[in-house]
Amino acid sequence: MLSPSYQKLKDILSTSIDPKRIFDQPLQTLAYGTDASFYRLIPKIVILAHNELEVIEIIKQAKKLDIALTFRAAGTSLSGQAITDSVLVVATHGWKNFELLENNQKIKLEPGIVGARVNTFLAPHGLKIGPDPASIGAAMIGGIVSNNASGMCCGTAQNSYQTIADIRIILSDGTILDTANPENVAVFKNNKKEIIDEIENLRDTIKNDEILFHFIKNKFKIKNTTGYSINALVDYEDPIDIIKHLMVGSEGTLAFISNVTFKTVIDEKFKSCSLIIFNSIQEACNATILLKSGPVAAVELLDRESIRSVENDNDAPSFFKTLPESACALLVECRDNDLAILKQKQEAIRLQIQTIPTYAEYEFTSDPKQYYFNWKARKGLLPTVGGLRKNGTTVIIEDVAFPLHYLADACHALKDLFKKYEYNDAVLFGHALEGNLHFVFSQDFSNQDEIDRYEKLMAELSVLVVDRFNGSLKAEHGTGRNMAPFVEKEWGSKAYEIMKRIKNIFDPNNRINPDVLINPDPKVHLKNFKPIPESHYIIDKCMECGFCEPHCVSEGLTLSPRQRIVIAREISSLEISKDNPQRLAAIQKEVQYQLDETCATDGLCALACPVNIDTGNFVKHWRANKLDANDKKMAAYIGSHMAGTTAILRVGLKLVSFFHSVFGTKIMKSLSNGAHFITFGNIPKWIPEMPKGADKI
């Protein structure tokens, strides 16, 4: 039951937005409210918004009722920035338009387009967008911009911040700012003078403080997504340019992003890579320092534990299993549009690191099978490691960055930290060229001792990264709820106050994605953990990353594979606990159609899943478990009498086609609808597209 204010919001919005796209039932709010992070908040209302007018109406009506809004696209974010217990506005379907501009040098994109899909638009022109996160096959443009996504090849030179050309946003009062439209900009400067003045004041405050100015400059020499992109206040003079870049990495806390224009970058035709094994992390990091000035497109570090997580892959080299515990790999990529120059780059790389011994000989490869495995080993590490975890635990990924000369020492310090707190399954990998490390480990949040262990790890991690190595607590995954308590620790009180002022400028009532990025609660990262109950052996390893969703044919009609797993887990949990029969009944009322009947069971989701979960196969088991003895007996009979069954169906289809020719479409539809009604849906509705029975072969 909704509270009066939420019910009023739903009633008002239902007059201008299709009520079928406004959800308040337990199944839909849980399914849509789940993201890839290890936190859970269940929204009271979920709205699938399809255009700007709807978003503006949602914002205005929510403001009148003092109701908080959170905007979301694919929900692949990892730090709890895309969840809410208020109103969730999903901008996916209806937000997939794009436009190539200025002879393909720019591309305008709406927030609901998957990043990899954008690159298919640009590929015929030899171009791509700059950001290349490992989740690019599922992450959408809205989230890529909101989290200042970077990735394996773009570094800090081609991330969202550096390649954004223009942006169109809707502010917390419904005002639109389109930086590509001079007329709109002029109106905005006139009507929102207080915002312009505040931005200019912040800019001047920083520039008049030489220590703070250079502190901010230095902090962004390495990857940094902790807090707001306050480098905009030192990189740009014009307040519109500053606003444009402040939106990048703002995690949906300042405005709704309606579209963004990226500068496109060259996507070289020829690519090759090599997985180079070194005897130690120190030697791998020494090689990385040498490669920094070399002709490399990417240098990815994989520690011994990372290699171990993929050593049983069918395509993995056999020697992976015999590597010493000290071993460390660098995945080195080079690219060019000229094959001869590509080979020259390979030789240059060899010469650059020839003084550092390698564990084994190495070759650069463009062979599709080996090239694909090398990158699969790297890109799939998060969910692959997650798939190896103990059932009932959750998988956590953190990403930090260090000045490159500290990288080896930082790697050893992190490993010592994992050992101290007995995170024995932790793996370390990342974008070595940028000093950007990711670490993944499993965590049990089911008891206080485990939560305390996690709290101690995070507290000590902040000291290690900030005080010991002058690094970034978040390098590319966004601050979210998980790192919000440590933003001031990294930035200090002056810079943190500026961030708080930025939030207040654009969202003075704190109603746009509140409690994310800026949060006074020092324990917010220890609350609202997502339960991961055991449900079924096929799906228990799912970490809810969302990689499967773009491949699902029913996503958008009902549920995606991830959402089906979320609902199945919730049902299992409620059936075991028996503590909320009303919620269980409400979910079960809709589950047959949402989870079962609309699943194509085609296995496409498994193709995209890094741990090969076939949700369609799970649904088949679900269906089988729902059958009673008579249903199973009937199915067995049909299965053993298939020839007779198909013969009867052929005759039936021919009869239906005959009656259609006699009665015509209108009468046939009426008869079909009547039969469907009086049999309580057991006789399916007839449609004109129903085929005629085939001739016997």
Side-chain angles (χ1 to χ4, degrees):
M1 178 72 73
L2 291 174
S3 67
S5 58
Y6 284 98
Q7 186 63 54
K8 185 175 181 179
L9 178 67
K10 180 187 176 185
D11 292 342
I12 293 171
L13 293 177
S14 294
T15 64
S16 57
I17 300 173
D18 185 350
K20 293 180 180 178
R21 291 191 276 115
I22 303 176
F23 306 130
D24 64 350
Q25 294 303 307
L27 185 146
Q28 288 94 344
T29 54
L30 173 60
Y32 282 96
T34 298
D35 73 353
S37 75
F38 52 94
Y39 297 105
R40 173 191 280 186
L41 291 172
I42 301 176
K44 295 177 178 63
I45 298 175
V46 174
I47 306 170
L48 309 184
H50 279 187
N51 55 60
E52 273 191 355
L53 290 177
E54 291 182 352
V55 171
I56 292 170
E57 182 67 7
I58 292 167
I59 288 173
K60 289 183 174 180
Q61 296 303 332
K63 183 178 181 180
K64 289 178 182 178
L65 295 165
D66 193 31
I67 289 175
L69 300 174
T70 292
F71 305 114
R72 202 198 80 183
T76 58
S77 52
L78 298 163
S79 303
Q81 58 265 61
I83 58 173
T84 180
D85 57 2
S86 185
V87 174
L88 180 69
V89 181
V90 180
T92 53
H93 297 278
W95 299 91
K96 298 187 182 294
N97 293 318
F98 74 97
E99 183 182 0
L100 285 162
L101 305 169
E102 298 181 19
N103 195 29
N104 307 323
Q105 296 308 296
K106 295 179 181 178
I107 185 167
K108 181 191 288 187
L109 302 161
E110 290 188 337
I113 309 176
V114 172
R117 181 67 175 155
V118 177
N119 285 339
T120 66
F121 304 149
L122 294 169
H125 309 288
L127 300 167
K128 62 178 182 175
I129 57 173
D132 63 335
S135 60
I136 196 168
M140 293 178 179
I141 292 300
I144 287 173
V145 176
S146 292
N147 291 288
N148 191 17
S150 48
M152 284 155 280
C153 296
C154 76
T156 54
Q158 294 181 344
N159 62 12
S160 301
Y161 180 91
Q162 296 293 350
T163 57
I164 189 172
D166 281 298
I167 197 167
R168 184 177 172 94
I169 56 175
I170 304 174
L171 300 185
S172 62
D173 62 354
T175 298
I176 291 176
L177 170 61
D178 186 346
T179 66
N181 185 324
E183 292 82 7
N184 174 269
V185 169
V187 171
F188 183 87
K189 286 183 174 180
N190 183 62
N191 293 345
K192 293 293 177 181
K193 192 173 183 302
E194 70 280 4
I195 291 180
I196 299 297
D197 290 345
E198 286 277 10
I199 293 295
E200 291 179 334
N201 182 268
L202 282 179
R203 176 200 65 196
D204 295 342
T205 297
I206 292 173
K207 291 188 176 180
N208 290 331
D209 186 331
E210 188 174 349
I211 294 175
L212 180 59
F213 180 90
H214 289 291
F215 175 68
I216 293 170
K217 274 281 189 184
N218 289 330
K219 287 290 290 179
F220 284 99
K221 286 181 178 178
I222 61 174
K223 284 186 177 182
N224 193 318
T225 59
T226 310
Y228 288 116
S229 300
I230 56 174
N231 48 331
L233 292 158
V234 302
D235 292 342
Y236 298 95
E237 284 287 334
D238 184 81
I240 298 300
D241 283 334
I242 293 172
I243 291 171
K244 180 196 310 179
H245 289 85
L246 280 174
M247 293 298 150
V248 179
S250 61
E251 301 176 33
T253 64
L254 303 181
F256 174 84
I257 297 174
S258 182
N259 68 54
V260 62
T261 301
F262 277 132
K263 304 166 197 169
T264 57
V265 301
I266 294 173
D267 184 18
E268 292 87 350
K269 182 178 180 181
F270 301 109
K271 303 174 178 69
S272 66
C273 69
S274 181
L275 202 57
I276 307 173
I277 310 295
F278 294 89
N279 294 296
S280 68
I281 285 179
Q282 182 70 54
E283 291 178 346
C285 292
N286 290 343
T288 300
I289 293 172
L290 296 177
L291 290 169
K292 182 69 175 177
S293 59
V296 292
V299 178
E300 295 291 303
L301 182 146
L302 294 83
D303 73 351
R304 181 65 183 92
E305 287 75 16
S306 299
I307 299 169
R308 185 175 289 111
S309 73
V310 297
E311 65 185 18
N312 291 317
D313 189 287
N314 292 333
D315 295 325
S318 58
F319 74 85
F320 271 20
K321 295 182 180 180
T322 65
L323 290 174
E325 289 304 303
S326 62
C328 184
L330 290 182
L331 174 57
V332 180
E333 167 115 341
C334 53
R335 302 175 171 185
D336 206 276
N337 279 324
D338 186 310
L339 195 55
I341 295 177
L342 180 69
K343 293 186 181 299
Q344 292 175 15
K345 288 182 176 181
Q346 294 171 5
E347 290 307 309
I349 291 169
R350 282 187 178 278
L351 289 172
Q352 222 154 4
I353 62 172
Q354 64 181 342
T355 58
I356 301 176
T358 58
Y359 175 82
E361 291 295 317
Y362 64 92
E363 296 291 337
F364 282 87
T365 181
S366 297
D367 174 70
K369 183 178 180 181
Q370 187 59 46
Y371 181 92
Y372 174 75
F373 168 76
N374 288 348
W375 276 109
K376 181 177 74 169
R378 165 58 188 89
K379 290 183 178 180
L381 272 174
L382 164 61
T384 299
V385 173
L388 296 173
R389 74 192 189 281
K390 179 183 175 183
N391 285 354
T393 62
T394 192
V395 62
I396 293 179
I397 180 170
E398 288 299 340
D399 80 303
V400 293
F402 305 96
L404 195 54
H405 59 278
Y406 285 141
L407 186 59
D409 290 341
C411 285
H412 289 300
L414 286 171
K415 284 182 168 292
D416 289 343
L417 187 61
F418 303 149
K419 186 176 181 179
K420 176 179 179 179
Y421 290 106
E422 298 183 355
Y423 285 98
N424 300 318
D425 64 343
V427 302
L428 193 63
F429 60 95
H431 317 311
L433 208 62
E434 303 296 334
N436 179 194
L437 295 175
H438 303 330
F439 50 94
V440 178
F441 55 90
S442 59
Q443 174 71 50
D444 184 357
F445 286 125
S446 64
N447 63 75
Q448 191 59 46
D449 287 344
E450 284 294 301
I451 294 173
D452 292 345
R453 180 171 70 123
Y454 177 71
E455 180 180 13
K456 291 173 184 176
L457 174 77
M458 292 300 291
E460 196 160 328
L461 174 70
S462 69
V463 173
L464 185 155
V465 173
V466 176
D467 297 339
R468 185 170 171 186
F469 294 113
N470 192 28
S472 308
L473 285 167
K474 280 293 184 180
E476 60 179 12
H477 292 165
T479 305
R481 287 173 165 78
N482 191 36
M483 205 56 75
F486 304 98
V487 176
E488 187 171 9
K489 163 72 176 174
E490 175 170 336
W491 281 102
S493 58
K494 277 189 179 181
Y496 190 60
E497 283 302 315
I498 286 170
M499 292 184 185
K500 289 164 68 175
R501 285 174 63 185
I502 289 168
K503 173 65 171 172
N504 189 62
I505 289 169
F506 292 98
D507 182 25
N509 298 316
N510 193 29
R511 298 285 82 188
I512 303 297
N513 208 11
D515 301 328
V516 168
L517 199 147
I518 299 293
N519 193 317
D521 183 355
K523 302 279 189 179
V524 67
H525 64 307
L526 305 174
K527 298 175 180 177
N528 301 305
F529 292 123
K530 179 193 291 182
I532 306 288
E534 290 187 81
S535 178
H536 191 279
Y537 74 92
I538 293 178
I539 63 172
D540 281 341
K541 294 303 182 184
C542 174
M543 56 164 284
E544 300 174 11
C545 65
F547 284 17
C548 57
E549 293 191 333
H551 302 266
C552 177
V553 296
S554 68
E555 189 278 323
L557 171 67
T558 52
L559 301 181
S560 70
R562 170 170 64 174
Q563 291 171 332
R564 287 185 167 90
I565 291 172
V566 168
I567 296 304
R569 284 173 164 170
E570 181 74 354
I571 289 174
S572 296
S573 178
L574 291 171
E575 286 178 339
I576 292 170
S577 68
K578 295 182 170 53
D579 61 359
N580 197 336
Q582 294 84 7
R583 179 173 174 79
L584 177 61
I587 291 175
Q588 287 179 327
K589 183 179 179 181
E590 298 187 61
V591 75
Q592 182 172 343
Y593 177 73
Q594 297 281 343
L595 185 151
D596 180 352
E597 293 178 356
T598 51
C599 178
T601 67
D602 53 16
L604 288 175
C605 47
L607 298 178
C609 178
V611 289
N612 303 311
I613 293 174
D614 184 347
T615 309
N617 189 27
F618 163 70
V619 171
K620 290 175 183 177
H621 281 75
W622 177 282
R623 291 172 181 170
N625 290 335
K626 300 301 179 185
L627 296 176
D628 59 25
N630 290 331
D631 292 330
K632 292 179 180 178
K633 189 181 295 184
M634 177 64 74
Y637 179 84
I638 291 173
S640 59
H641 297 82
M642 190 57 69
T645 301
T646 54
I648 293 170
L649 291 174
R650 281 198 302 271
V651 172
L653 287 170
K654 287 179 179 178
L655 283 172
V656 170
S657 180
F658 170 75
F659 285 119
H660 178 213
S661 65
V662 172
F663 295 127
T665 300
K666 187 174 181 180
I667 294 176
M668 194 70 177
K669 274 189 174 181
S670 298
L671 291 172
S672 166
N673 291 341
H676 181 78
F677 177 76
I678 64 175
T679 61
F680 301 101
N682 287 316
I683 294 179
K685 289 184 179 181
W686 173 88
I687 57 174
E689 293 78 15
M690 188 173 286
K692 181 182 178 181
D695 293 328
K696 185 176 181 181
I697 299 174

